[in-house]
Amino acid sequence: GEDVEQSLFLSVREGDSSVINCTYTDSSSTYLYWYKQEPGAGLQLLTYIFSNMDMKQDQRLTVLLNKKDKHLSLRIADTQTGDSAIYFCAESCGSARQLTFGSGTQLTVLP
Amino acid sequence: NAGVTQTPKFRVLKTGQSMTLLCAQDMNHEYMYWYRQDPGMGLRLIHYSVGEGTTAKGEVPDGYNVSRLKKQNFLLGLESAAPSQTSVYFCASMGTGWRETQYFGPGTRLLVL
């Protein structure tokens, strides 16, 4: 079955760049997503990339996709304390484009 | 538009009790989903629906039932709650266009004692 893996924790200094990595297994995934979850809150869609793209940039966010290695990354430039949250990678596949999520990466931004 | 709403926001049950979680969306979406989130884990798909009157099992369907009698509503039922069903439940909906993404509700926190 599908499996999405992420490292559990990442700490960065305010102003530095953050890179969150994700690997997935289903090569038929059509879209790959990054969601942000703040404590006690729901999921906020940050960005997504179609499987035929290599890179997508959206303001401070850059998504890189390496289909050969099934590796996805999210780079946050100029990381701020408000970026502290859990970040989930998810792949979309199946007839209803169901999502399979990674376990999430807790990003801590230190002042 | 309210988007995706979930009722209730929080509930405490005793083992063996039953309850129904309600998800409603006002975006005329065909697809609806129920996920659960446990500590240290991502969301896992319980059941989903591709349209009114249809339901299908996801990754972790045991102990749950669902119904989609109206297009805008997707109900998740627990017939006999167990402590292992203590979790945060998220509902999501999505249109059928190829660029569509899933919109999530705010979640329902369920504690089973």
Side-chain angles (χ1 to χ4, degrees):
Chain A
E2 305 90 352
D3 196 15
V4 179
E5 295 188 356
Q6 303 177 236
S7 52
L8 291 180
F9 302 100
L10 176 65
S11 291
V12 299
R13 292 281 179 191
E14 191 173 13
D16 288 350
S17 292
S18 309
V19 179
I20 303 172
N21 294 300
C22 169
T23 58
Y24 62 98
T25 56
D26 194 330
S27 57
S28 66
S29 297
T30 50
Y31 286 97
L32 294 135
Y33 300 85
W34 285 103
Y35 286 88
K36 176 183 180 183
Q37 186 178 38
E38 297 183 60
L43 275 74
Q44 174 192 353
L45 177 65
L46 283 179
T47 187
Y48 62 95
I49 188 167
F50 190 48
S51 58
N52 69 352
M53 297 170 65
D54 297 324
M55 185 181 86
K56 180 178 180 181
Q57 189 154 2
D58 185 0
Q59 299 182 327
R60 292 192 297 125
L61 305 178
T62 303
V63 178
L64 295 178
L65 175 60
N66 180 329
K67 289 183 288 294
K68 174 176 171 290
D69 295 336
K70 297 190 180 70
H71 183 266
L72 183 73
S73 67
L74 174 69
R75 178 177 180 269
I76 305 173
D78 187 26
T79 312
Q80 302 297 308
T81 54
D83 293 324
S84 291
I86 300 177
Y87 290 80
F88 291 98
C89 165
E91 62 175 347
S92 167
C93 44
S95 59
R97 309 217 301 267
Q98 308 90 298
L99 295 178
T100 300
F101 286 84
S103 55
T105 299
Q106 172 75 59
L107 173 65
T108 301
V109 182
L110 305 171
Chain B
N1 284 355
V4 180
T5 58
Q6 294 183 231
T7 309
K9 289 185 171 52
F10 177 68
R11 183 77 183 268
V12 178
L13 287 180
K14 294 182 180 177
T15 297
Q17 287 185 319
S18 63
M19 79 162 294
T20 300
L21 282 69
L22 171 64
C23 175
Q25 53 94 3
D26 60 2
M27 296 172 282
N28 201 34
H29 284 166
E30 289 293 334
Y31 298 159
M32 296 188 75
Y33 314 82
W34 276 107
Y35 296 88
R36 61 177 286 174
Q37 183 181 26
D38 300 304
M41 300 181 71
L43 279 69
R44 292 181 293 167
L45 183 66
I46 305 171
H47 286 280
Y48 64 97
S49 168
V50 298
E52 183 179 313
T54 75
T55 62
K57 293 180 180 179
E59 180 187 353
V60 288
D62 293 342
Y64 305 96
N65 56 74
V66 286
S67 64
R68 183 100 182 265
L69 298 179
K70 293 183 179 180
K71 186 177 183 178
Q72 62 268 33
N73 295 336
F74 196 27
L75 278 63
L76 179 70
L78 286 74
E79 288 187 352
S80 179
S84 61
Q85 294 178 304
T86 293
S87 190
V88 181
Y89 292 84
F90 288 99
C91 175
S93 72
M94 185 174 73
T96 55
W98 71 281
R99 283 187 179 272
E100 292 280 352
T101 60
Q102 291 189 21
Y103 292 80
F104 282 83
T108 294
R109 292 182 179 274
L110 177 65
L111 175 61
V112 183
L113 301 175

